[in-house]
Amino acid sequence: MKKTILIVALLMSGFVFQTSSAQIKFGIRVNIGTQPVWGPVGYDYVEYYYLPDIDVFYYVPGHQYIYMERGQWVFRTYLPARYNNYDIYNGYKVVINEPNPYRNADTYRSQYGGYRGRHDQENIRNSHDSRYFENKNHPQHREWRQNNNRRDR
C-alpha cells in the first residue's frame, strides 16, 4: 500500500510539475510588415508610436491616430487638418509597447518633449535592410516578394 501511495504521489508531482512548466510562455512578436513606412527602423514589434512634435499617438495594429479633440481622445485613420503641414516622415517617433499609452499622456509628454524638432531618425521607407521589404508600402517590396516566390518553388 505504501508503494502505491508513493507511486501515485510521484506521478501526481510529475503531473503538477509538467502542468506548471507548460504555463511558461515564450512569445516573439513581430509586426514589421504592418508598421507604417514612416515608422523608425530598428523595431521588430511596435504597438504604438508617440509623435512628440504634434502630441499624437499612433496605434499600429489598428492603423489609427489617437489625439485630443474637444477634451476627448479620438481614434482616426487620418490626422486632423491642423496637422496638414506636419511631415510624418521627418518627425521623431517614440516606440511605446504598453497598452493605452494615451491614458498616461502627461508622462510621455514630459519624458519625450525634448525630442520635438528632431529629424535624425531613419524611417522604414528609406531603409535598405531587406527585412523591411516585407512591408507592402516599402519601395523595394517587389524584391521581397520575388525572393519569397523563389523560396516557395
Side-chain angles (χ1 to χ4, degrees):
M1 184 68 169
K2 287 182 182 181
K3 286 182 182 178
T4 304
I5 293 172
L6 181 61
I7 291 172
V8 169
L10 287 172
L11 287 173
M12 291 300 285
S13 68
F15 179 75
V16 170
F17 177 75
Q18 287 177 355
T19 303
S20 64
S21 66
Q23 292 175 0
I24 297 172
K25 293 182 181 178
F26 293 99
I28 297 174
R29 301 187 306 180
V30 176
N31 68 348
I32 289 175
T34 61
Q35 293 174 35
V37 290
W38 48 259
V41 299
Y43 301 93
D44 291 337
Y45 182 80
V46 177
E47 188 84 14
Y48 290 91
Y49 293 117
Y50 175 59
L51 314 173
D53 287 328
I54 57 175
D55 194 30
V56 169
F57 293 89
Y58 182 79
Y59 180 51
V60 173
H63 309 286
Q64 295 174 311
Y65 296 94
I66 305 165
Y67 53 88
M68 288 295 269
E69 188 84 20
R70 296 186 183 111
Q72 301 278 330
W73 288 107
V74 295
F75 293 72
R76 302 283 189 269
T77 56
Y78 54 87
L79 283 170
R82 66 182 179 259
Y83 300 128
N84 281 349
N85 292 329
Y86 177 69
D87 183 355
I88 197 140
Y89 285 91
N90 288 324
Y92 199 87
K93 292 89 164 168
V94 178
V95 172
I96 301 172
N97 287 325
E98 294 179 17
N100 309 315
Y102 51 92
R103 292 184 178 168
N104 299 313
D106 288 338
T107 301
Y108 294 109
R109 283 183 195 118
S110 64
Q111 207 169 10
Y112 299 109
Y115 288 88
R116 283 191 175 126
R118 283 187 57 178
H119 306 290
D120 57 351
Q121 269 183 329
E122 182 183 9
N123 59 48
I124 290 170
R125 176 186 68 180
N126 299 337
S127 175
H128 297 292
D129 185 338
S130 62
R131 68 184 175 150
Y132 294 111
F133 298 174
E134 175 185 350
N135 189 312
K136 67 180 180 184
N137 295 315
H138 192 282
Q140 293 173 288
H141 176 68
R142 182 177 291 151
E143 291 176 30
W144 177 81
R145 271 194 13 223
Q146 288 171 349
N147 289 337
N148 280 345
N149 286 341
R150 283 187 202 123
R151 275 184 254 159
D152 291 342
R153 292 180 190 169

CSV table of all heavy atoms in Angstrom, one decimal, residues 116-146:
chain,number,residue,atom,x,y,z
A,116,ARG,N,11.1,67.0,-29.6
A,116,ARG,CA,10.4,67.9,-30.6
A,116,ARG,C,11.4,68.5,-31.5
A,116,ARG,O,12.5,69.0,-31.0
A,116,ARG,CB,9.6,68.9,-29.9
A,116,ARG,CG,8.3,68.4,-29.3
A,116,ARG,CD,7.5,69.6,-28.9
A,116,ARG,NE,6.2,69.0,-28.4
A,116,ARG,CZ,5.7,69.3,-27.2
A,116,ARG,NH1,6.3,70.1,-26.4
A,116,ARG,NH2,4.5,68.7,-26.9
A,117,GLY,N,11.1,68.5,-32.8
A,117,GLY,CA,12.0,69.2,-33.7
A,117,GLY,C,13.2,68.3,-34.2
A,117,GLY,O,14.0,68.8,-35.0
A,118,ARG,N,13.4,67.1,-33.6
A,118,ARG,CA,14.5,66.3,-34.1
A,118,ARG,C,14.1,65.6,-35.4
A,118,ARG,O,12.9,65.2,-35.6
A,118,ARG,CB,14.8,65.2,-33.0
A,118,ARG,CG,15.6,65.8,-31.9
A,118,ARG,CD,16.0,64.7,-30.9
A,118,ARG,NE,16.8,63.7,-31.5
A,118,ARG,CZ,17.4,62.7,-30.8
A,118,ARG,NH1,17.2,62.6,-29.5
A,118,ARG,NH2,18.1,61.8,-31.4
A,119,HIS,N,15.0,65.5,-36.3
A,119,HIS,CA,14.8,64.9,-37.6
A,119,HIS,C,15.9,63.9,-38.0
A,119,HIS,O,16.3,63.8,-39.1
A,119,HIS,CB,14.7,66.0,-38.7
A,119,HIS,CG,13.7,67.0,-38.3
A,119,HIS,ND1,12.3,66.8,-38.3
A,119,HIS,CD2,13.8,68.3,-38.0
A,119,HIS,CE1,11.7,67.9,-38.0
A,119,HIS,NE2,12.6,68.8,-37.8
A,120,ASP,N,16.4,63.2,-37.0
A,120,ASP,CA,17.5,62.3,-37.2
A,120,ASP,C,17.2,60.8,-37.2
A,120,ASP,O,18.1,60.0,-37.0
A,120,ASP,CB,18.6,62.6,-36.2
A,120,ASP,CG,18.2,62.5,-34.8
A,120,ASP,OD1,17.0,62.3,-34.5
A,120,ASP,OD2,19.0,62.6,-33.9
A,121,GLN,N,16.0,60.4,-37.4
A,121,GLN,CA,15.6,59.0,-37.4
A,121,GLN,C,15.5,58.5,-38.8
A,121,GLN,O,14.9,59.2,-39.7
A,121,GLN,CB,14.3,58.8,-36.7
A,121,GLN,CG,14.3,58.5,-35.3
A,121,GLN,CD,12.9,58.2,-34.7
A,121,GLN,OE1,11.9,58.8,-35.2
A,121,GLN,NE2,12.8,57.4,-33.7
A,122,GLU,N,16.1,57.4,-39.1
A,122,GLU,CA,15.8,56.7,-40.4
A,122,GLU,C,14.5,56.1,-40.3
A,122,GLU,O,14.1,55.4,-39.4
A,122,GLU,CB,16.9,55.7,-40.7
A,122,GLU,CG,16.8,55.1,-42.0
A,122,GLU,CD,17.8,54.0,-42.3
A,122,GLU,OE1,18.6,53.6,-41.4
A,122,GLU,OE2,17.8,53.5,-43.5
A,123,ASN,N,13.7,56.2,-41.4
A,123,ASN,CA,12.4,55.6,-41.4
A,123,ASN,C,12.4,54.3,-42.3
A,123,ASN,O,13.4,54.1,-43.1
A,123,ASN,CB,11.3,56.6,-41.8
A,123,ASN,CG,11.5,57.2,-43.2
A,123,ASN,OD1,11.8,56.5,-44.1
A,123,ASN,ND2,11.4,58.5,-43.2
A,124,ILE,N,11.4,53.5,-42.2
A,124,ILE,CA,11.4,52.2,-42.9
A,124,ILE,C,11.4,52.4,-44.4
A,124,ILE,O,12.1,51.7,-45.1
A,124,ILE,CB,10.1,51.5,-42.4
A,124,ILE,CG1,10.3,51.0,-41.0
A,124,ILE,CG2,9.8,50.3,-43.4
A,124,ILE,CD1,9.0,50.5,-40.4
A,125,ARG,N,10.8,53.4,-44.9
A,125,ARG,CA,10.7,53.7,-46.4
A,125,ARG,C,12.2,53.8,-46.9
A,125,ARG,O,12.4,53.4,-48.0
A,125,ARG,CB,9.9,54.9,-46.7
A,125,ARG,CG,9.9,55.3,-48.1
A,125,ARG,CD,9.2,56.6,-48.4
A,125,ARG,NE,10.0,57.7,-47.8
A,125,ARG,CZ,9.6,59.0,-47.9
A,125,ARG,NH1,8.5,59.3,-48.5
A,125,ARG,NH2,10.4,59.9,-47.4
A,126,ASN,N,13.0,54.5,-46.2
A,126,ASN,CA,14.4,54.7,-46.7
A,126,ASN,C,15.4,53.7,-46.3
A,126,ASN,O,16.6,53.8,-46.7
A,126,ASN,CB,14.9,56.1,-46.2
A,126,ASN,CG,14.0,57.2,-46.6
A,126,ASN,OD1,13.3,57.1,-47.7
A,126,ASN,ND2,14.0,58.3,-45.9
A,127,SER,N,15.0,52.6,-45.6
A,127,SER,CA,15.9,51.6,-45.2
A,127,SER,C,16.2,50.6,-46.3
A,127,SER,O,15.4,50.3,-47.1
A,127,SER,CB,15.3,50.8,-44.0
A,127,SER,OG,16.2,49.8,-43.6
A,128,HIS,N,17.5,50.2,-46.3
A,128,HIS,CA,17.9,49.2,-47.3
A,128,HIS,C,18.1,47.8,-46.6
A,128,HIS,O,18.6,46.9,-47.2
A,128,HIS,CB,19.2,49.6,-48.0
A,128,HIS,CG,19.0,50.8,-48.8
A,128,HIS,ND1,18.3,50.9,-49.9
A,128,HIS,CD2,19.5,52.1,-48.6
A,128,HIS,CE1,18.3,52.1,-50.4
A,128,HIS,NE2,19.0,52.9,-49.6
A,129,ASP,N,17.6,47.7,-45.4
A,129,ASP,CA,17.6,46.4,-44.7
A,129,ASP,C,16.5,45.6,-45.3
A,129,ASP,O,15.3,45.9,-45.3
A,129,ASP,CB,17.3,46.7,-43.2
A,129,ASP,CG,17.4,45.5,-42.3
A,129,ASP,OD1,17.3,44.3,-42.8
A,129,ASP,OD2,17.6,45.6,-41.1
A,130,SER,N,16.8,44.4,-45.8
A,130,SER,CA,15.9,43.6,-46.5
A,130,SER,C,14.7,43.1,-45.7
A,130,SER,O,13.6,42.8,-46.2
A,130,SER,CB,16.6,42.4,-47.1
A,130,SER,OG,17.1,41.6,-46.1
A,131,ARG,N,14.8,43.1,-44.4
A,131,ARG,CA,13.7,42.6,-43.6
A,131,ARG,C,12.5,43.6,-43.7
A,131,ARG,O,11.3,43.2,-43.5
A,131,ARG,CB,14.1,42.4,-42.1
A,131,ARG,CG,14.4,43.7,-41.3
A,131,ARG,CD,14.9,43.3,-40.0
A,131,ARG,NE,15.4,44.5,-39.3
A,131,ARG,CZ,15.3,44.7,-38.0
A,131,ARG,NH1,14.8,43.7,-37.2
A,131,ARG,NH2,15.7,45.8,-37.5
A,132,TYR,N,12.8,44.9,-44.0
A,132,TYR,CA,11.7,45.8,-44.2
A,132,TYR,C,11.0,45.8,-45.5
A,132,TYR,O,10.0,46.4,-45.7
A,132,TYR,CB,12.2,47.3,-43.9
A,132,TYR,CG,12.6,47.5,-42.5
A,132,TYR,CD1,13.9,47.6,-42.1
A,132,TYR,CD2,11.7,47.5,-41.5
A,132,TYR,CE1,14.3,47.8,-40.8
A,132,TYR,CE2,12.0,47.6,-40.1
A,132,TYR,CZ,13.4,47.8,-39.8
A,132,TYR,OH,13.8,47.9,-38.5
A,133,PHE,N,11.6,45.0,-46.5
A,133,PHE,CA,11.0,44.9,-47.8
A,133,PHE,C,9.7,44.2,-47.7
A,133,PHE,O,8.8,44.2,-48.6
A,133,PHE,CB,11.9,44.2,-48.7
A,133,PHE,CG,13.2,44.8,-49.0
A,133,PHE,CD1,14.2,44.2,-49.7
A,133,PHE,CD2,13.5,46.1,-48.5
A,133,PHE,CE1,15.4,44.8,-50.0
A,133,PHE,CE2,14.7,46.7,-48.7
A,133,PHE,CZ,15.7,46.1,-49.5
A,134,GLU,N,9.4,43.4,-46.6
A,134,GLU,CA,8.2,42.7,-46.4
A,134,GLU,C,7.0,43.7,-46.4
A,134,GLU,O,5.9,43.3,-46.8
A,134,GLU,CB,8.2,41.9,-45.1
A,134,GLU,CG,6.9,41.3,-44.7
A,134,GLU,CD,7.0,40.6,-43.3
A,134,GLU,OE1,8.1,40.5,-42.7
A,134,GLU,OE2,5.9,40.2,-42.8
A,135,ASN,N,7.2,44.9,-45.9
A,135,ASN,CA,6.2,45.9,-45.9
A,135,ASN,C,5.7,46.2,-47.3
A,135,ASN,O,6.5,46.7,-48.1
A,135,ASN,CB,6.7,47.1,-45.1
A,135,ASN,CG,5.6,48.1,-44.8
A,135,ASN,OD1,4.8,48.5,-45.7
A,135,ASN,ND2,5.6,48.6,-43.6
A,136,LYS,N,4.4,46.0,-47.5
A,136,LYS,CA,3.9,46.2,-48.9
A,136,LYS,C,4.1,47.7,-49.4
A,136,LYS,O,4.0,47.9,-50.6
A,136,LYS,CB,2.5,45.8,-49.0
A,136,LYS,CG,1.5,46.6,-48.2
A,136,LYS,CD,0.1,46.2,-48.3
A,136,LYS,CE,-0.8,47.1,-47.5
A,136,LYS,NZ,-2.1,46.8,-47.4
A,137,ASN,N,4.3,48.6,-48.6
A,137,ASN,CA,4.4,50.0,-49.0
A,137,ASN,C,5.9,50.4,-49.1
A,137,ASN,O,6.2,51.6,-49.4
A,137,ASN,CB,3.7,50.9,-48.0
A,137,ASN,CG,2.2,50.7,-48.0
A,137,ASN,OD1,1.6,50.6,-49.1
A,137,ASN,ND2,1.6,50.6,-46.9
A,138,HIS,N,6.8,49.5,-48.8
A,138,HIS,CA,8.2,49.8,-49.0
A,138,HIS,C,8.6,49.8,-50.5
A,138,HIS,O,8.1,49.0,-51.2
A,138,HIS,CB,9.1,48.7,-48.3
A,138,HIS,CG,10.5,49.1,-48.1
A,138,HIS,ND1,11.4,49.1,-49.2
A,138,HIS,CD2,11.2,49.6,-47.1
A,138,HIS,CE1,12.6,49.5,-48.8
A,138,HIS,NE2,12.5,49.8,-47.5
A,139,PRO,N,9.4,50.8,-50.9
A,139,PRO,CA,9.8,50.9,-52.3
A,139,PRO,C,10.4,49.6,-52.9
A,139,PRO,O,10.3,49.3,-54.1
A,139,PRO,CB,10.8,52.0,-52.4
A,139,PRO,CG,10.6,52.8,-51.1
A,139,PRO,CD,10.0,51.8,-50.1
A,140,GLN,N,11.0,48.8,-52.0
A,140,GLN,CA,11.6,47.5,-52.5
A,140,GLN,C,10.8,46.3,-52.2
A,140,GLN,O,11.4,45.2,-52.2
A,140,GLN,CB,13.0,47.5,-52.0
A,140,GLN,CG,13.9,48.6,-52.6
A,140,GLN,CD,15.3,48.6,-51.9
A,140,GLN,OE1,15.4,49.0,-50.8
A,140,GLN,NE2,16.3,48.2,-52.6
A,141,HIS,N,9.5,46.4,-51.9
A,141,HIS,CA,8.7,45.3,-51.6
A,141,HIS,C,8.7,44.2,-52.7
A,141,HIS,O,8.7,43.0,-52.4
A,141,HIS,CB,7.3,45.8,-51.3
A,141,HIS,CG,6.3,44.6,-51.0
A,141,HIS,ND1,6.4,43.9,-49.9
A,141,HIS,CD2,5.3,44.2,-51.7
A,141,HIS,CE1,5.4,43.0,-49.9
A,141,HIS,NE2,4.7,43.1,-51.0
A,142,ARG,N,8.8,44.7,-53.9
A,142,ARG,CA,8.8,43.7,-55.0
A,142,ARG,C,9.9,42.7,-54.9
A,142,ARG,O,9.8,41.5,-55.2
A,142,ARG,CB,8.8,44.5,-56.4
A,142,ARG,CG,8.8,43.5,-57.6
A,142,ARG,CD,8.8,44.3,-58.9
A,142,ARG,NE,7.5,45.0,-59.0
A,142,ARG,CZ,7.4,46.1,-59.7
A,142,ARG,NH1,8.4,46.7,-60.3
A,142,ARG,NH2,6.2,46.7,-59.8
A,143,GLU,N,11.1,43.2,-54.5
A,143,GLU,CA,12.2,42.3,-54.3
A,143,GLU,C,12.0,41.3,-53.3
A,143,GLU,O,12.3,40.1,-53.4
A,143,GLU,CB,13.5,43.1,-53.9
A,143,GLU,CG,14.0,44.0,-55.0
A,143,GLU,CD,15.2,44.8,-54.6
A,143,GLU,OE1,15.9,44.4,-53.7
A,143,GLU,OE2,15.3,45.9,-55.1
A,144,TRP,N,11.3,41.6,-52.2
A,144,TRP,CA,11.0,40.7,-51.1
A,144,TRP,C,10.0,39.6,-51.7
A,144,TRP,O,10.2,38.4,-51.4
A,144,TRP,CB,10.3,41.4,-49.9
A,144,TRP,CG,9.9,40.5,-48.8
A,144,TRP,CD1,10.7,40.0,-47.9
A,144,TRP,CD2,8.6,40.0,-48.6
A,144,TRP,NE1,9.9,39.2,-47.0
A,144,TRP,CE2,8.6,39.2,-47.5
A,144,TRP,CE3,7.4,40.2,-49.2
A,144,TRP,CZ2,7.5,38.6,-46.9
A,144,TRP,CZ3,6.2,39.6,-48.7
A,144,TRP,CH2,6.3,38.8,-47.6
A,145,ARG,N,9.0,40.1,-52.4
A,145,ARG,CA,8.0,39.1,-53.0
A,145,ARG,C,8.7,38.2,-53.9
A,145,ARG,O,8.4,37.0,-53.9
A,145,ARG,CB,6.9,39.9,-53.7
A,145,ARG,CG,5.8,40.2,-52.8
A,145,ARG,CD,4.5,40.7,-53.5
A,145,ARG,NE,4.4,40.4,-54.9
A,145,ARG,CZ,4.0,41.3,-55.8
A,145,ARG,NH1,3.6,42.5,-55.4
A,145,ARG,NH2,4.0,41.0,-57.1
A,146,GLN,N,9.6,38.7,-54.8
A,146,GLN,CA,10.3,37.8,-55.7
A,146,GLN,C,11.1,36.8,-55.0
A,146,GLN,O,11.2,35.6,-55.4
A,146,GLN,CB,11.1,38.6,-56.7
A,146,GLN,CG,10.3,39.4,-57.7
A,146,GLN,CD,11.2,40.4,-58.5
A,146,GLN,OE1,12.3,40.7,-58.2
A,146,GLN,NE2,10.6,41.0,-59.5
